Amino acid sequence: MTTANRLSRNTLILLVSNIGSALLLFALSAIIGRAYGKEGLGVYSTAMAWVFPLSLIAEFGLNTLLTREIARQPERERAYLTTAVHARLWIAGGLALTLMIIAPLLSRDALLVQGIRISAPLILVLPLFGTLTAIFRARQVMWPIPWLNLGMLVAQLALTAWAVLSGGDILLLLIVNTFTSIAQLGAAWLLWRRLFHVASPTGSSSSHSITSILWQAWPFAVAAILAAVQTRLGTILLEQMADTTAAGSYAAAARFVEAGRMIPNALFGALFPALAALAQHPTALNNLFRKILGLLASFGLLAGIVCTLFASTLITLTYGSDFTDAAPILTLSMWSLLPSLLRSGIGLYWYAVGRESWVNRVTIIALLIQFVLSLLLIPAYGGQGAASAIVLTETISTILLGWPLRTHHARR
């Protein structure tokens, strides 16, 4: 199978996983909200709000590192896997135990304290699951990922419905969530044993030191944190400098931009290991990279045109007439998708060739630019000012990130 065919197939597989997961999670939230009301959904969501950021810290960029390095050197899979698991046990296990101990300090709500403790093991389970799916991505074998994700969510949805019908409380739903996630991890491990366990030569099983692998993963961990901050910066500043109404209109528009990234995100999941595998073949790498940039530019341009023409209709149909002021925000926000996708594609290229530190430097600059532009534009233009700041920031940072490409290609 050619690289292009494999990339197309893997993108389609991940797209199915992304769309299916989004729909099932929406259905899960709807069931919880209708059955347990605002209080029950609040307990469930708040417990998860403590778990997911800590699981991101525990992940520490190791999944990105594993995807790149195993794509380059499949024979080192066992070494990286062994060290990554040990690192997970120390970091994620320590964070999970700490959260369970300090839970009473985080809330006066006894129900929420119990919910946090029930959910704390996910801080370890989620990064371990991500480690195994990183190997699947590195091997460019994507079909297990939708089966694992959708299978877990279907089981969770069914067990949640059973819990609701049998009169169980919100804590039972959190137990179901933790149990199905552990089962998903077990299924992923069994699939890895079946698919790749024999593929690693005995001589390659010696592990790296935890310190060395964490040092290698550090730039990816920083990148994840910086990206999370940049994504939320506009909303935070808008709420502080305007009001919650403006923040709500901005958030309504932002949901469409997030949806617009669903297809490209599936592509990025399949693209990164493909680029990493071609890192030692500059001509093939550059040819694939140029084609991908063309596709990303076309997609971003189409999304911008569609929202320019139909922003008002989309907003009204989705949120109602009370959100009409979000239409111009949506138009501006969607035009940020074009440079944002190009920036993501260029960033994956730099990751593949080992220049992740350059991506982080540009991201820091982008944060500073967005902060300054937001301070200047939000007081005068509100949500449209926040959206304009993002469009300008993404455009400038994409130019900066891509500036060294011509020189880099010439050297290779």
Side-chain angles (χ1 to χ4, degrees), residues 70-92:
I70 295 172
R72 292 175 174 178
Q73 307 174 77
E75 71 278 3
R76 300 297 296 166
E77 177 184 303
R78 285 285 298 280
Y80 276 106
L81 177 60
T82 300
T83 308
V85 169
H86 289 164
R88 302 295 194 212
L89 292 175
W90 282 102
I91 300 174

Side-chain angles (χ1 to χ4, degrees), residues 205-224:
S205 61
S206 59
S207 63
H208 304 273
S209 72
I210 292 178
T211 303
S212 68
I213 197 172
L214 290 179
W215 181 253
Q216 292 178 68
W218 170 249
F220 300 119
V222 171

Side-chain angles (χ1 to χ4, degrees), residues 186-313:
W189 180 79
L190 289 174
L191 278 173
W192 172 78
R193 292 273 301 183
R194 182 177 181 83
L195 294 173
F196 302 128
H197 180 62
V198 182
S200 299
T202 305
S204 66
S205 61
S206 59
S207 63
H208 304 273
S209 72
I210 292 178
T211 303
S212 68
I213 197 172
L214 290 179
W215 181 253
Q216 292 178 68
W218 170 249
F220 300 119
V222 171
I225 294 171
L226 291 175
V229 171
Q230 187 181 6
T231 301
R232 289 158 178 80
L233 183 61
T235 303
I236 293 171
L237 291 177
L238 188 60
E239 184 177 6
Q240 293 294 318
M241 301 173 68
D243 53 36
T244 54
T245 302
S249 296
Y250 179 82
R255 293 294 178 270
F256 284 93
V257 182
E258 293 169 5
R261 289 189 66 92
M262 187 174 293
I263 294 175
N265 282 345
L267 171 63
F268 292 146
L271 177 63
F272 181 45
L275 292 176
L278 292 174
Q280 304 305 317
H281 307 280
T283 301
L285 173 65
N286 294 336
N287 288 339
L288 176 61
F289 175 64
R290 292 189 186 97
K291 291 178 182 178
I292 293 301
L293 283 189
L295 290 174
L296 293 174
S298 300
F299 184 88
L301 184 63
L302 178 61
I305 292 172
V306 168
C307 281
T308 298
L309 297 174
F310 303 107
S312 181
T313 302

Side-chain angles (χ1 to χ4, degrees), residues 33-231:
R34 287 179 176 273
Y36 300 94
K38 292 180 181 179
E39 183 179 358
L41 185 58
V43 169
Y44 192 97
S45 301
T46 304
M48 292 298 99
W50 280 105
V51 165
F52 284 126
L54 290 174
S55 69
L56 180 63
I57 294 173
E59 196 280 321
F60 206 80
L62 286 172
N63 293 346
T64 305
L65 176 69
L66 262 62
T67 299
R68 185 183 72 183
E69 297 304 318
I70 295 172
R72 292 175 174 178
Q73 307 174 77
E75 71 278 3
R76 300 297 296 166
E77 177 184 303
R78 285 285 298 280
Y80 276 106
L81 177 60
T82 300
T83 308
V85 169
H86 289 164
R88 302 295 194 212
L89 292 175
W90 282 102
I91 300 174
L95 287 173
L97 182 60
T98 301
L99 182 61
M100 294 177 72
I101 293 171
I102 69 170
L105 303 177
L106 303 177
S107 175
R108 296 179 182 178
D109 188 326
L111 194 64
L112 177 57
V113 170
Q114 294 182 65
I116 291 173
R117 285 175 166 168
I118 290 170
S119 304
L122 294 175
I123 298 173
L124 175 60
V125 172
L126 296 177
L128 285 175
F129 175 73
T131 299
L132 292 169
T133 57
I135 294 176
F136 297 150
R137 294 175 190 274
R139 295 283 192 164
Q140 300 188 57
V141 178
M142 306 296 178
W143 64 262
I145 296 176
W147 281 105
L148 291 166
N149 287 337
L150 300 180
M152 187 275 286
L153 287 172
V154 168
Q156 186 178 346
L157 195 63
L159 289 173
T160 297
W162 165 81
V164 170
L165 293 174
S166 63
D169 61 10
I170 196 66
L171 295 181
L172 179 57
L173 269 62
L174 289 167
I175 292 172
V176 166
N177 183 32
T178 301
F179 171 77
T180 52
S181 297
I182 293 172
Q184 181 190 40
L185 172 61
W189 180 79
L190 289 174
L191 278 173
W192 172 78
R193 292 273 301 183
R194 182 177 181 83
L195 294 173
F196 302 128
H197 180 62
V198 182
S200 299
T202 305
S204 66
S205 61
S206 59
S207 63
H208 304 273
S209 72
I210 292 178
T211 303
S212 68
I213 197 172
L214 290 179
W215 181 253
Q216 292 178 68
W218 170 249
F220 300 119
V222 171
I225 294 171
L226 291 175
V229 171
Q230 187 181 6
T231 301

Side-chain angles (χ1 to χ4, degrees), residues 225-238 241 250 254 333 336 340 343 361-379 382-398 400:
I225 294 171
L226 291 175
V229 171
Q230 187 181 6
T231 301
R232 289 158 178 80
L233 183 61
T235 303
I236 293 171
L237 291 177
L238 188 60
M241 301 173 68
Y250 179 82
S333 296
S336 72
S340 175
R343 178 183 167 191
R361 287 197 289 269
V362 171
T363 304
I364 292 172
I365 295 172
L367 271 172
L368 295 174
I369 294 172
Q370 184 179 346
F371 182 76
V372 172
L373 289 174
S374 295
L375 292 181
L376 294 173
L377 296 173
I378 287 176
Q384 293 184 55
S388 299
I390 292 179
V391 173
L392 292 171
T393 299
E394 291 292 349
T395 301
I396 295 170
S397 56
T398 300
L400 289 175

